[in-house]
Amino acid sequence: MPNGTDNGLHKGHDKNGNAYGYGKNKTEFPCFAVGTAVLTPTGQIPIENLTIGDLVQTMDHGAKPVRWIGKSIVDATGRLAPVIIPKGAIDNERDLIVSPQHRILVSTTSATLYLGEPQVLVPAISMVGWMGIHQKPMAEITYVHVMFDQHEVIFTEGAATESLLIGPQSRLDLPTEALDEIFEIFPDLIEKAHIPARPCVPNRLARALL
């Protein structure tokens, strides 16, 4: 069973660190590949080593505790193939591997000019073909997703990326059991989980801004 997960299970962890599994899913929401280095106040650690309550460095609010962690083993072919962001493409210190819909923080003059926003979050899939960024099909991949009290910009492999945002799409893609668990443990998330840390730009517009 790779990376300590139950075979074919999507595992979550409650506020006490207890793990639970609820089946394999296709994962269309933001996830990091196992092995991704996350910046904490004491340095970078692999994302799969994070536990509930661990502090992670955020761009806007300093060190914030992890409130929920999910792990899933998913098919990684076709449109679900992970996006590989090569070392240095976005100031990342190593290759960064994320799910296609994982959003990356970018700052472009086009975003400022057309949207009036100096920083926006764009799906990784929209960056394919730019700076050597590409998709890499594989049989399966283990992903980890991390949630805080609110949507945050965190630093992974040195690049600014998003934490899990429980927006409309994520609510469709996450298993019902996971959403029920999240909102039972953190009822306050219902009010602010859908508020993005930066404007989220859809694929087509994101391609035009890069």
Side-chain angles (χ1 to χ4, degrees):
M1 292 183 288
N3 303 304
T5 62
D6 294 333
N7 188 25
L9 286 181
H10 185 124
K11 296 181 71 177
H13 296 77
D14 65 20
K15 62 184 176 181
N16 297 314
N18 300 313
Y20 56 89
Y22 42 84
K24 188 173 181 178
N25 76 319
K26 63 181 181 179
T27 303
E28 302 240 18
F29 51 91
C31 306
F32 297 100
V34 159
T36 301
V38 178
L39 183 63
T40 75
T42 57
Q44 293 187 341
I45 67 170
I47 193 166
E48 66 269 23
N49 290 352
L50 288 175
T51 59
I52 302 301
D54 284 351
L55 295 178
V56 169
Q57 196 67 34
T58 72
M59 178 174 283
D60 301 319
H61 305 109
K64 301 298 291 185
V66 173
R67 298 296 301 273
W68 186 85
I69 300 172
K71 182 181 291 184
S72 50
I73 303 172
V74 302
D75 296 332
T77 58
R79 64 188 179 84
L80 297 180
V83 173
I84 313 297
I85 302 176
K87 175 183 176 181
I90 53 172
D91 296 326
N92 45 316
E93 298 160 356
R94 300 191 308 168
D95 288 359
L96 175 62
I97 305 174
V98 295
S99 59
Q101 294 304 319
H102 199 117
R103 299 181 187 92
I104 310 296
L105 186 73
V106 299
S107 301
T108 69
T109 54
S110 296
T112 302
L113 179 62
Y114 294 108
L115 302 178
E117 298 286 349
Q119 296 179 326
V120 294
L121 288 163
V122 303
I125 190 65
S126 70
M127 304 175 78
V128 168
W130 180 73
M131 298 295 289
I133 298 171
H134 60 282
Q135 281 189 283
K136 183 179 180 180
M138 53 188 72
E140 64 180 24
I141 189 170
T142 301
Y143 280 130
V144 180
H145 20 280
V146 180
M147 180 182 289
F148 301 89
D149 285 322
Q150 61 194 67
H151 192 224
E152 298 282 4
V153 175
I154 61 176
F155 301 94
T156 52
E157 305 296 0
T161 57
E162 68 169 338
S163 65
L164 180 60
L165 172 65
I166 303 297
Q169 187 60 51
S170 293
R171 294 187 190 211
L172 290 174
D173 293 327
L174 273 170
T176 300
E177 301 96 312
L179 286 173
D180 290 346
E181 185 82 17
I182 289 169
F183 289 130
E184 181 179 352
I185 297 171
F186 314 118
D188 56 317
L189 288 176
I190 297 174
E191 298 298 325
K192 56 187 179 182
H194 65 286
I195 302 173
R198 297 291 189 282
C200 296
V201 178
N203 289 344
R204 183 174 297 180
L205 179 57
R207 291 181 184 276
L209 295 178
L210 294 174

